[in-house]
Amino acid sequence: SGEQLRAMYFADGKVHWDTYALICHMLRDVEEKTTFLDFDINLLNLVYGIQAWDEAERRRPYPFDVHSGFRTVAHNRRLESDGAARHSLHTQRRALDGEIFGMQHSRLAQKGEFYQLGGVGLYSWGVHLDTGAVRRWRRAKVGRLIPDLGK
């Protein structure tokens, strides 16, 4: 969508629901023109943890560039031929695909794995993060799934 947002949804020991709502809006399915949705806050916490870790290492904050947030079932179905899971956690507002500028995708995936909050998929275009079962995979080529990222 080209939209950008820098927001703090948790401060002073509580969730700032108005800011959380803005973030959820940004993660909508822009192709299907969805409206406000409640995203899994644990997924937002995961992205925040990765960003904070990266900022501590590089001494500068870099945004998480979201490629895909929520997907409607219809939108996800259209992507299944390109490898999207039939029952994708994107349709449940529990998954994000994206990258952080200047960070190797493999490093982003390693940081996601560290937290053990769900699935981490490594792709040539970025990383998939979700709050489903803890698992990992990488996609070497279209249609070829390799189930383990390795170390």
Side-chain angles (χ1 to χ4, degrees), residues 15 22 32 73 131 137:
V15 175
L22 286 172
E32 295 286 328
V73 172
T131 57
W137 67 92

Side-chain angles (χ1 to χ4, degrees), residues 45-132:
N45 293 339
L46 173 60
V47 171
Y48 171 76
I50 293 169
Q51 286 179 299
W53 185 354
D54 179 52
E55 184 176 351
E57 288 179 343
R58 296 200 280 174
R59 308 280 189 251
R60 174 175 178 190
Y62 288 95
F64 187 89
D65 183 16
V66 176
H67 296 242
S68 182
F70 171 70
R71 291 187 208 137
T72 64
V73 172
H75 182 185
N76 195 72
R77 195 171 295 126
R78 290 191 301 274
L79 297 175
E80 287 175 13
S81 63
D82 289 332
R86 177 167 294 183
H87 300 289
S88 171
L89 291 174
H90 285 276
T91 65
Q92 299 173 33
R93 298 172 307 282
R94 296 178 58 201
L96 292 173
D97 297 336
E99 60 188 325
I100 294 178
F101 176 77
M103 184 186 298
Q104 291 181 350
H105 298 151
S106 59
R107 182 71 176 134
L108 176 55
Q110 287 173 340
K111 288 180 179 189
E113 284 181 19
F114 172 82
Y115 289 101
Q116 296 286 299
L117 290 176
V120 177
L122 175 61
Y123 297 86
S124 61
W125 45 260
V127 173
H128 168 97
L129 301 169
D130 70 49
T131 57

